[in-house]
Amino acid sequence: MEKGKTAQKTGITAFIERGERIRTRGRSRRRLLTYQRKLLLSAALLLIGMSIGGFMGMNVFADEAIAPKLKPYYTSIRVEEGDSLWSIASRYFAESPMDIREYIYELKRINQLTDDTIHTGHYLMVVYYK
């Protein structure tokens, strides 16, 4: 036999080997089609999941009001007769990103107050937002 050439098989052995190759190719093709279907189904499920997750995420942000960033400014005020932390807070917290309870807590923190007691004639530092 010459170099580089292979002998062709004939007879029953060749028929059986060729049949095995044909059947193997058929199985491989079925496996490939099954794999492609599974891959397509996985991609579709992933896309659906991402879409649902994206819409849910958008819903979370939809509730937030789009407001410009407000800067805090501080000023000192004199406590007048009849003033309380609640009355002072209700005057200054309007533009604040906090609710009134958080604002009162902030007033107490910046003025180093341990309770809600304030006295007429004293000065308080208040924060307001613009």
Side-chain angles (χ1 to χ4, degrees):
M1 216 189 268
E2 293 178 24
K3 265 188 171 176
K5 291 190 176 181
T6 57
Q8 290 189 350
K9 295 183 181 178
T10 58
I12 295 175
T13 308
F15 178 76
I16 291 172
E17 286 181 7
R18 196 167 16 113
E20 283 298 314
R21 280 198 313 266
I22 291 170
R23 273 190 257 135
T24 303
R25 264 192 236 132
R27 259 188 260 137
S28 295
R29 182 158 174 79
R30 280 194 304 271
R31 285 182 185 156
L32 180 61
L33 289 173
T34 303
Y35 174 75
Q36 287 174 340
R37 286 183 191 126
K38 287 180 180 179
L39 186 62
L40 183 62
L41 180 62
S42 298
L45 289 174
L46 181 63
L47 183 62
I48 289 169
M50 288 173 56
S51 297
I52 291 171
F55 290 131
M56 291 173 74
M58 285 175 39
N59 193 18
V60 168
F61 295 117
D63 292 341
E64 294 180 8
I66 299 173
K69 295 285 182 185
L70 299 173
K71 288 186 177 182
Y73 295 91
Y74 296 88
T75 190
S76 180
I77 63 163
R78 186 168 186 230
V79 178
E80 299 296 326
E81 184 70 35
D83 278 345
S84 67
L85 284 178
W86 280 86
S87 65
I88 293 169
S90 63
R91 275 185 261 157
Y92 289 95
F93 96 105
E95 297 296 322
S96 164
M98 302 176 262
D99 67 17
I100 195 161
R101 289 178 188 270
E102 293 169 328
Y103 189 85
I104 291 172
Y105 176 79
E106 183 65 11
L107 284 180
K108 288 169 65 173
R109 187 187 68 78
I110 63 177
N111 288 290
Q112 299 176 350
L113 299 174
T114 56
D115 58 15
D116 292 347
T117 306
I118 56 174
H119 302 283
T120 304
H122 288 187
Y123 287 86
L124 282 180
M125 184 69 64
V126 294
V127 59
Y128 62 96
Y129 292 83
K130 281 189 176 180

